[in-house]
Amino acid sequence: MDPRIREHAQTIVEHSTRVESGDNVVVSAPAVADDLVTAIYELLGDREANVISMDANPRFMRAFLRASDTDEFETPSHLQALYEETDVIIRIRGETNATEQSDVAPETNAAWKRAYKPIQAEMLSKRWCLTQHPAPGSAQLAGMSTEAYENFVYDAVTLDWDAQAEHQQQMVEILDDADEVRIKSGDETDVTMSVAGNSTINDKGEHNLPGGEVFTAPVKDSVNGEVYFDLPLYRQGREVSGVRVRFEDGEVVGYSAERNEEVLDGVFETDEGARYLGELGIGMNRSIDRFTYNMLFDEKMGDTVHIAVGAAYPETVGEENELNESAEHVDMIVDMSEDSVIEVDGEVVQRNGTFVFEDDF
């Protein structure tokens, strides 16, 4: 077994989820990630945890969704009962065919998201980690050889997370004291939002591995302006590119995409909350130096900003502000490397991807 797999497993168990003796653990993974699951199981055995695994094969879900009557979807109560008794959830991605679910209708996915929402909420209340195994299908989607993709993934997930957290904390402190944030990029992106009263999270490789961003929630009705997402979104086996979104008083009032706009139709029609922002995130992981059609990595890239329509993370929303609730949470990315600024309360804190606290600002 590649020793980097064992290092990855150790990071998941010891750093990301902090598994303790007696913890009930669920590991969800595709078969292509069996080596990583095996390494995780060894560590969980050493820690005297209780563990079960679930096969996350997208072929199974494709078959179910295509055969189902969406009007009959119900929250799977047996799965919810499992997660209610679970302390730690480890979810591992790894594709053999990244387009497996590309022929599932967007409205079917939206209906399933609505039914699954209570389970998603239960999972988020636990100690959880979402990570990536460098599978060949994921490498192919990224346009990389398997070996190159393995190096890319392991470089990103095995950072010195204490040092990364210290670097990111500088941006956390700026946003925690902020009222208004403005994001401007080129001629097509100019959007403002309030973050007053909300908290900023320092993502240091715990819930997401890799980590490498800071994120907060916009005040629900404060978002105004237009955004051009110049990096594609890969969702449900489809590339959605050239996305433009217009906000008024927090709500999405117009949108378009140059390719696969129907995927956005499904997202925004899921529920009312899907038309409001749940997250503003700023990528700060410089070890992620290329776009790979994998949001777990792409949103963490340095020189990027991402905003997510749909559910806000409760820990980011202050007591005096409204929590945006939705069955969706869809991140989309703006490249901030050229002709771009982030302003906080009228002061430029990032210009062309460089932060005010970095030497070459």
Side-chain angles (χ1 to χ4, degrees):
M1 183 182 296
D2 188 327
R4 297 175 298 180
I5 295 176
R6 296 191 183 278
E7 186 178 0
H8 189 181
Q10 186 173 9
T11 302
I12 294 167
V13 172
E14 297 181 0
H15 171 77
S16 300
T17 58
R18 307 177 306 283
V19 175
E20 299 176 353
S21 176
D23 277 345
N24 294 328
V25 182
V26 174
V27 180
S28 174
V32 73
D34 278 356
D35 281 352
L36 178 56
V37 175
T38 299
I40 290 171
Y41 262 55
E42 289 176 349
L43 292 170
L44 295 177
D46 287 342
R47 291 183 172 232
E48 299 180 338
N50 307 309
V51 59
I52 62 172
S53 63
M54 299 172 60
D55 192 335
N57 188 327
R59 289 183 64 196
F60 302 162
M61 201 62 199
R62 172 188 176 273
F64 172 78
L65 291 174
R66 283 173 57 87
S68 296
D69 179 350
T70 58
D71 292 334
E72 301 300 321
F73 279 150
E74 296 181 357
T75 301
S77 57
H78 57 306
L79 183 58
Q80 186 164 358
L82 169 64
Y83 286 132
E84 287 172 353
E85 297 298 322
T86 298
D87 301 299
V88 174
I89 299 167
I90 298 169
R91 296 172 57 212
I92 301 166
R93 291 177 176 174
E95 286 74 36
T96 52
N97 179 2
T99 63
E100 187 63 57
Q101 296 188 37
S102 62
D103 52 0
V104 177
E107 56 269 24
T108 301
N109 281 300
W112 178 247
K113 282 280 189 178
R114 290 191 291 271
Y116 200 79
K117 182 180 176 182
I119 293 176
Q120 188 72 18
E122 187 66 40
M123 293 170 66
L124 291 174
S125 72
K126 308 297 183 176
R127 277 175 282 147
W128 60 273
C129 176
L130 171 65
T131 193
Q132 176 78 35
H133 182 70
S138 309
Q140 186 176 36
L141 184 63
M144 302 171 70
S145 68
T146 302
E147 181 180 0
Y149 189 68
E150 288 172 349
N151 294 336
F152 169 81
V153 169
Y154 292 129
D155 285 349
V157 301
T158 58
L159 288 184
D160 180 338
W161 289 112
D162 290 337
Q164 184 69 23
E166 183 177 351
H167 174 64
Q168 293 173 181
Q169 186 62 28
Q170 298 171 92
M171 193 63 205
V172 170
E173 292 171 0
I174 290 172
L175 288 176
D176 271 345
D177 292 334
D179 182 358
E180 184 179 83
V181 177
R182 180 186 186 192
I183 299 164
K184 191 173 186 307
S185 181
D187 296 327
E188 296 191 83
T189 294
D190 192 349
V191 64
T192 60
M193 63 195 70
S194 173
V195 295
N198 287 344
S199 299
T200 309
I201 304 300
N202 189 339
D203 171 22
K204 49 186 185 293
E206 294 172 327
H207 290 319
N208 280 185
L209 185 64
E213 64 171 297
V214 301
F215 64 94
T216 187
V219 175
K220 185 174 179 178
D221 62 358
S222 72
V223 186
N224 286 284
E226 298 186 2
V227 184
Y228 172 60
F229 298 99
D230 39 11
L231 293 177
L233 164 69
Y234 199 82
R235 183 172 175 82
Q236 300 164 2
R238 303 172 179 90
E239 179 183 335
V240 186
S241 56
V243 175
R244 292 170 172 82
V245 180
R246 182 163 53 90
F247 297 90
E248 289 181 7
D249 298 329
E251 185 179 8
V252 174
V253 295
Y255 65 90
S256 65
E258 295 166 8
R259 183 179 184 188
N260 286 323
E261 185 175 310
E262 67 276 8
V263 176
L264 293 183
D265 296 337
V267 169
F268 291 128
E269 293 170 6
T270 300
D271 51 37
E272 180 183 357
R275 284 184 171 264
Y276 289 83
L277 286 191
E279 179 188 356
L280 165 66
I282 300 174
M284 299 185 69
N285 187 337
R286 305 257 186 229
S287 72
I288 302 173
D289 58 0
R290 60 181 292 167
F291 181 79
T292 61
Y293 290 93
N294 184 334
M295 192 59 70
L296 183 61
F297 290 78
D298 298 337
E299 68 174 3
K300 314 300 192 319
M301 284 191 297
D303 304 351
T304 65
V305 163
H306 59 277
I307 59 177
V309 294
Y313 294 104
E315 60 268 32
T316 65
V317 180
E319 293 181 0
E320 302 300 317
N321 290 332
E322 180 182 357
L323 173 71
N324 191 44
E325 297 186 82
S326 174
E328 284 288 9
H329 182 95
V330 181
D331 295 286
M332 294 178 281
I333 303 174
V334 180
D335 182 353
M336 300 292 289
S337 62
E338 295 181 2
D339 194 21
S340 301
V341 295
I342 300 174
E343 295 180 2
V344 173
D345 295 332
E347 298 290 331
V348 176
V349 300
Q350 188 199 71
R351 180 182 293 111
N352 299 336
T354 302
F355 294 99
V356 66
F357 46 79
E358 293 181 312
D359 291 339
D360 52 351
F361 179 73

